[in-house]
Amino acid sequence: NGGSCNKRNWRMRNFFERPKIVYQDITSSNPFTLDTDEYFLANTCYFVPSADTALLGLLNSKLAWFFFSATTNIARGGYLRLRTEFVQQLPIPDMPARDKKRLATLGEACTRAAQERFSIQRETRHRILDLATGARKKLTGRLDNWHELDFEAFRAEIKKVFRADIPVKERGEWERYLADNGAQVRALSAEIDAIVYALFDLTPDEIAMVESALAR
């Protein structure tokens, strides 16, 4: 009835109008970030009704991605479908106060880095797409995850996807950008991964297995 609908709508509005962890459905890497601007979301973006930055760090770890890769649907091109029924199955370990505090700090740092990266990517996206020829006007998962590529791999992906090379006068700028910003993102991610591996008591062999599987 109308009263029930109004109560349900009020509850949903109450969830949106607060800080929360948001993420996109179709993704090639951990997409979780903290929304403090109280955005209202539509498909295909979802959220966890929590502002726990330690949880945010866990969600952005390699181990979480390994879990999702084994349990979610795989879309064309290797993208994962992070629907609610899969995300809510992620095991959450007990966290000692020290680890939780450090993971929370890293989660906040990763959010700031992700926001900065998004801003930079938004500004450079059109420049990258200007290299496209023909009908190809979309970035691949490898280009979305530019921080995992060195300059030569990045340049090779540009050639493969867009059938064009980075202009000579811009190559130095791209190389410096990938080196500086990529190193920052990788360092934050590595520290998060180390804490999460310890929380789940993974052995060196188990860590190697996880990272080997993700590399494939």
Side-chain angles (χ1 to χ4, degrees), residues 6-7 43 123:
N6 288 336
K7 289 180 181 179
N43 286 348
E123 293 172 3

Side-chain angles (χ1 to χ4, degrees), residues 57-128:
L58 172 63
L59 288 166
N60 279 318
S61 69
K62 279 185 180 178
L63 196 56
W65 188 252
F66 176 75
F67 175 84
F68 295 140
S69 298
T71 57
T72 68
N73 294 334
I74 308 295
R76 187 171 62 179
Y79 287 76
L80 300 191
R81 296 294 308 273
L82 296 182
R83 297 206 303 268
T84 301
E85 62 264 34
F86 300 127
V87 174
Q88 67 186 9
Q89 294 180 44
L90 178 70
I92 308 296
D94 292 330
M95 299 187 193
R98 183 182 63 181
D99 289 338
K100 184 170 184 177
K101 182 177 179 180
R102 184 59 184 153
L103 197 56
T105 299
L106 289 169
E108 292 169 357
C110 277
T111 293
R112 290 193 298 270
Q115 290 169 340
E116 180 180 357
R117 185 176 66 194
F118 176 78
S119 178
I120 294 171
Q121 285 180 318
R122 182 175 56 191
E123 293 172 3
T124 59
R125 185 179 180 86
H126 294 298
R127 285 180 52 196
I128 295 175

Side-chain angles (χ1 to χ4, degrees), residues 7-20:
K7 289 180 181 179
R8 183 164 58 248
N9 290 338
W10 181 88
R11 286 196 297 268
M12 289 304 299
R13 184 183 182 92
N14 192 39
F15 277 127
F16 280 120
E17 292 181 334
R18 65 176 64 178
K20 54 192 175 292

Side-chain angles (χ1 to χ4, degrees), residues 77-190:
Y79 287 76
L80 300 191
R81 296 294 308 273
L82 296 182
R83 297 206 303 268
T84 301
E85 62 264 34
F86 300 127
V87 174
Q88 67 186 9
Q89 294 180 44
L90 178 70
I92 308 296
D94 292 330
M95 299 187 193
R98 183 182 63 181
D99 289 338
K100 184 170 184 177
K101 182 177 179 180
R102 184 59 184 153
L103 197 56
T105 299
L106 289 169
E108 292 169 357
C110 277
T111 293
R112 290 193 298 270
Q115 290 169 340
E116 180 180 357
R117 185 176 66 194
F118 176 78
S119 178
I120 294 171
Q121 285 180 318
R122 182 175 56 191
E123 293 172 3
T124 59
R125 185 179 180 86
H126 294 298
R127 285 180 52 196
I128 295 175
L129 292 176
D130 283 344
L131 299 172
T133 58
R136 179 76 200 198
K137 293 291 183 181
K138 185 177 180 181
L139 300 185
T140 62
R142 280 172 61 81
L143 290 178
D144 277 334
N145 293 312
W146 54 268
H147 57 277
E148 297 178 358
L149 306 176
D150 60 23
F151 176 69
E152 290 306 319
F154 179 80
R155 185 180 170 192
E157 186 71 7
I158 290 290
K159 289 180 179 179
K160 174 185 174 182
V161 175
F162 295 147
R163 304 291 190 270
D165 202 351
I166 299 172
V168 174
K169 65 180 181 180
E170 297 180 12
R171 290 176 191 171
E173 177 187 349
W174 277 109
E175 188 167 10
R176 287 190 298 273
Y177 172 76
L178 289 172
D180 293 344
N181 293 280
Q184 178 186 2
V185 173
R186 287 191 297 272
L188 288 168
S189 298

Side-chain angles (χ1 to χ4, degrees), residues 13-22 33-41 47 50-51 111-112 115 118 122:
R13 184 183 182 92
N14 192 39
F15 277 127
F16 280 120
E17 292 181 334
R18 65 176 64 178
K20 54 192 175 292
I21 296 173
V22 300
T33 190
L34 185 65
D35 164 36
T36 58
D37 295 317
E38 302 179 356
Y39 284 115
F40 281 63
L41 307 174
F47 70 95
S50 170
T111 293
R112 290 193 298 270
Q115 290 169 340
F118 176 78
R122 182 175 56 191

